[in-house]
Amino acid sequence: MKIALFLTAIAGASAFAPASQPARAASQLNAGELEGLRGVGPETAGKIFDPLELAKWAPVEHLRKAELANGRSAMLATVGWLFPKVVGTFDGPVDTTDPIAAFSKADPQWWAQFIIFCGTIEAVKYRAEFEGKSYTGEVDKEAAIDWAKQWGKMDAAKREDIAMKEIKNGRLAMIGIASFAANYFIPGSVPGLSEGF
């Protein structure tokens, strides 16, 4: 009886499985999109780095926006992780250099302000995108957020150079913050990082 129930469960679950399609057709669909994508270099062996083949399942433009957003967040997180350890803390309720413990010591009002700030930045980005501006470093468009008013003064080569640096620094920061977190929760898991760093 147990075997019959098990086989019935497997048969029922397979009804919800996606139909298998040849992988070659999906990769050919996105090959054109991937060809001119920024971010190819010696660290990716001269090709697009997509080991999970996410470009088969999601639009390339969406994946690039997600990579940039996560890279920018990781750059800020890396600075936030290192700053108290190197410089120290300010006077206030957060008096620890332990970044994980600092989360619980921060006032809930601060978290509310942080969430509102992030939402405001997202709203500005999306409004600018509807106006035809770019927040992904497209060379031929006006920048969505340009506090220093420098993007418009740069030529196309300089814009491309800045955009490439942002992608590569974001990738490095994502690896860095993941390494800090791994070493925090699993001491000694990252060679070269001392325990508690």
Side-chain angles (χ1 to χ4, degrees):
M1 183 66 177
K2 290 180 182 178
I3 294 175
L5 287 172
F6 177 74
L7 292 174
T8 305
I10 290 175
S14 66
F16 297 103
S20 62
Q21 297 176 356
R24 176 177 244 170
S27 62
Q28 287 176 346
L29 290 175
N30 292 328
E33 292 180 272
L34 296 175
E35 284 301 316
L37 199 60
R38 182 184 299 127
V40 174
E43 68 278 357
T44 60
K47 58 184 180 179
I48 295 296
F49 183 73
D50 187 13
L52 300 177
E53 297 181 346
L54 295 175
K56 291 182 181 179
W57 310 106
V60 174
E61 182 182 345
H62 173 74
L63 295 174
R64 175 47 47 100
K65 288 178 181 178
E67 179 182 24
L68 281 169
N70 288 316
R72 291 167 180 165
S73 297
M75 287 187 270
L76 289 172
T78 302
V79 170
W81 190 286
L82 293 174
F83 187 87
K85 293 183 178 295
V86 175
V87 176
T89 60
F90 299 111
D91 291 335
V94 180
D95 57 357
T96 179
T97 60
D98 182 336
I100 303 301
F103 275 103
S104 62
K105 289 192 171 196
D107 191 324
Q109 173 185 328
W110 183 88
W111 286 112
Q113 291 173 1
F114 178 73
I115 290 169
I116 291 169
F117 173 75
C118 291
T120 302
I121 294 297
E122 289 297 317
V124 167
K125 284 181 3 184
Y126 289 117
R127 186 191 71 208
E129 187 175 29
F130 285 124
E131 294 172 355
K133 298 177 182 178
S134 170
Y135 63 90
T136 58
E138 295 172 77
V139 177
D140 58 339
K141 292 185 178 180
E142 185 181 345
I145 300 174
D146 185 12
W147 308 114
K149 306 289 184 216
Q150 295 298 312
W151 188 256
K153 297 176 183 176
M154 296 180 207
D155 63 349
K158 181 68 173 170
R159 288 181 181 186
E160 183 63 34
D161 182 54
I162 295 289
M164 181 72 88
K165 287 177 182 176
E166 181 183 28
I167 288 173
K168 292 187 176 192
N169 287 329
R171 289 174 179 168
L172 182 62
M174 286 187 274
I175 293 169
I177 197 66
S179 299
F180 292 156
N183 193 62
Y184 181 88
F185 291 108
I186 308 168
S189 64
V190 179
L193 282 181
S194 62
E195 188 173 327
F197 190 76

